[in-house]
């Protein structure tokens, strides 16, 4: 049985390191390590319990989504891409972190995962109409410092509070631990009032999870990658989704060739930007954008 873990309840520990802010009102340094991942709640992997946990806590971890053999195969394929990938260019990307951008131009490993029926059901409930925003492989290398706390929807100039416009999934291809950079979350912070920022009294909880797990989290929850204090890298992949009326972070229409997109399932084509937000946002020459793909799965 697949399981989800609601990341709730942990006590803050002593400060061990501090990150400098990077010039945004929506990022913050963190003041301590928190080693306790909180209380684990186990249920069947299904839309309703995941949605309920997201609405309550802003984050939930699903275990056992990928079997170990597939997780190893995908990790091996991604490692070939990482071998040719430079390290980050700034403190937010991480100077000892590698990021695989243009993911759907470089691998077919996530085609079915991006449109998994349970994931689509969660997206339907949280976002309604949506598309992929920033699918990215992230390998946090040894010596990487913790990322400033931030929330992903802060890049959009929207009034606060607002409805959900971003939903993120983090797929683990190594065990995520306190030592190797497990993502840090402030459960419940997706419901904070406008202007509130993380304080040293707010518990930061680690999303420790085995390889093959997936963390779902909303765009409004404060979080950040952890520091890797081990001698080996930690690999995860983000499949981030955004409301279809907003511009995605990465331009997939340019980033993934039309010839490649034409071979993909129709749902994935639409997630990569070939979609219409009702009633007609996104049309091309008065028609659905998929009609302009090379002949394949583009009938509309």
């Amino acid at each position: 049985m697949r399981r989800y873990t609601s990341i709730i309840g942990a006590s803050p520990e002593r400060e061990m390191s501090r990150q400098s802010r990077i010039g945004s009102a929506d990022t913050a340094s963190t003041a301590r390590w928190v080693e306790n991942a909180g209380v684990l709640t186990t249920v069947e992997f299904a839309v309703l319990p995941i949605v309920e946990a997201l609405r309550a806590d802003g984050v939930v971890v699903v275990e056992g989504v990928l079997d170990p053999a597939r997780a190893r195969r995908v990790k091996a394929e991604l490692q070939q891409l990482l071998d040719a990938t430079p390290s980050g260019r700034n403190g937010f990307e991480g100077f000892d972190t590698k990021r695989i951008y243009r993911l759907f131009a470089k691998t077919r490993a996530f085609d079915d995962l991006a449109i998994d029926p349970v994931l689509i059901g969660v997206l339907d409930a949280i976002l309604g109409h949506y598309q992929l925003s920033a699918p990215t492989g992230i390998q946090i290398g040894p010596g990487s410092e913790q990322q400033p706390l931030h929330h992903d929807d802060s890049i959009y100039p929207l009034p606060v509070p607002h409805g959900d416009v971003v939903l993120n999934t983090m797929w683990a291809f190594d065990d995520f631990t306190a030592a190797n950079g497990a993502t840090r979350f402030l459960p419940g912070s997706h419901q904070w009032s406008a202007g509130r920022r993380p304080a040293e009294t707010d518990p930061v909880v680690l999303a420790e999870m085995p390889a093959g797990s997936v963390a779902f989290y909303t765009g409004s929850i404060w979080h950040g990658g952890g520091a890797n204090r081990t001698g080996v890298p930690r690999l995860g992949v983000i499949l981030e989704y955004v409301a279809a009326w907003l511009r995605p972070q990465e331009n997939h229409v340019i980033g993934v060739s039309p010839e490649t997109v034409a071979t993909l399932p129709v749902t994935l084509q639409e997630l990569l930007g070939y979609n219409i937000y009702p009633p007609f946002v996104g049309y091309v020459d008065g028609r659905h954008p998929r009609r302009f793909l090379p002949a394949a799965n583009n009938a509309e």
Side-chain angles (χ1 to χ4, degrees):
M1 178 180 294
R2 294 169 180 174
R3 303 186 300 165
Y4 87 78
T5 304
S6 183
I7 310 293
I8 57 175
S11 299
E13 293 184 0
R14 220 175 144 153
E15 173 174 344
M16 294 185 66
S17 65
R18 184 179 296 272
Q19 289 290 316
S20 62
R21 296 177 184 172
I22 62 172
S24 168
D26 292 305
T27 61
S29 60
T30 188
R32 68 244 162 241
W33 287 98
V34 180
E35 303 295 345
N36 182 1
V39 177
L40 306 183
T41 302
T42 303
V43 300
E44 182 180 2
F45 177 39
V47 173
L48 182 59
I50 296 173
V51 169
E52 289 178 342
L54 284 171
R55 287 176 172 158
D57 300 333
V59 58
V60 63
V61 172
V62 183
E63 296 183 359
V65 177
L66 299 180
D67 64 71
R70 180 168 184 182
R72 288 192 297 270
R73 287 196 304 271
V74 174
K75 179 181 177 181
E77 180 178 344
L78 294 178
Q79 188 57 56
Q80 295 181 37
L81 298 174
L82 288 163
D83 289 342
T85 300
S87 297
R89 298 159 293 185
N90 52 56
F92 191 81
E93 281 189 331
F95 293 110
D96 296 302
T97 294
K98 293 185 174 184
R99 293 175 181 257
I100 305 172
Y101 297 117
R102 296 180 62 224
L103 191 69
F104 286 89
K106 298 175 180 178
T107 177
R108 303 274 59 83
F110 295 91
D111 290 357
D112 62 323
L113 302 181
I115 58 174
D116 178 88
V118 172
L119 174 53
I120 291 296
V122 174
L123 287 162
D124 287 345
I126 299 296
L127 297 183
H129 296 277
Y130 45 85
Q131 58 192 336
L132 280 161
S133 181
T136 309
I138 302 177
Q139 186 182 67
I140 296 180
S144 294
E145 298 183 347
Q146 55 189 5
Q147 187 185 44
L149 294 172
H150 62 283
H151 52 99
D152 292 330
D153 62 8
S154 67
I155 66 171
Y156 299 109
L158 299 173
V160 179
H162 56 73
D164 288 307
V165 295
V166 172
L167 182 67
N168 230 321
T169 59
M170 168 67 82
W171 300 71
F173 292 96
D174 290 304
D175 293 344
F176 279 34
T177 69
N180 73 4
T183 306
R184 296 137 45 238
F185 289 97
L186 277 69
S189 59
H190 65 307
Q191 298 176 336
W192 284 0
S193 59
R196 180 174 172 183
R197 297 172 56 82
E200 294 190 7
T201 55
D202 293 315
V204 176
V205 183
L206 302 182
E208 295 184 278
M209 55 185 179
S213 302
V214 183
F216 290 72
Y217 51 103
T218 70
S220 297
I221 190 169
W222 286 84
H223 68 284
N228 188 343
R229 296 172 286 155
T230 73
V232 295
R234 187 274 281 165
L235 177 60
V237 169
I238 287 176
L239 298 182
E240 181 183 56
Y241 300 80
V242 66
W245 56 273
L246 284 170
R247 186 172 184 175
Q249 290 191 47
E250 187 164 38
N251 189 327
H252 309 297
V253 174
I254 294 176
V256 186
S257 72
E259 291 75 19
T260 296
V261 175
T263 68
L264 303 176
V266 169
T267 300
L268 187 52
Q269 291 177 356
E270 298 201 345
L271 290 176
L272 287 169
Y274 294 82
N275 64 74
I276 291 288
Y277 180 81
F280 42 67
V281 176
Y283 69 82
V284 178
D285 199 19
R287 295 182 290 174
H288 196 289
R290 283 199 292 107
R291 286 184 174 269
F292 293 83
L293 290 170
N297 299 326
N298 60 350
E300 181 66 29

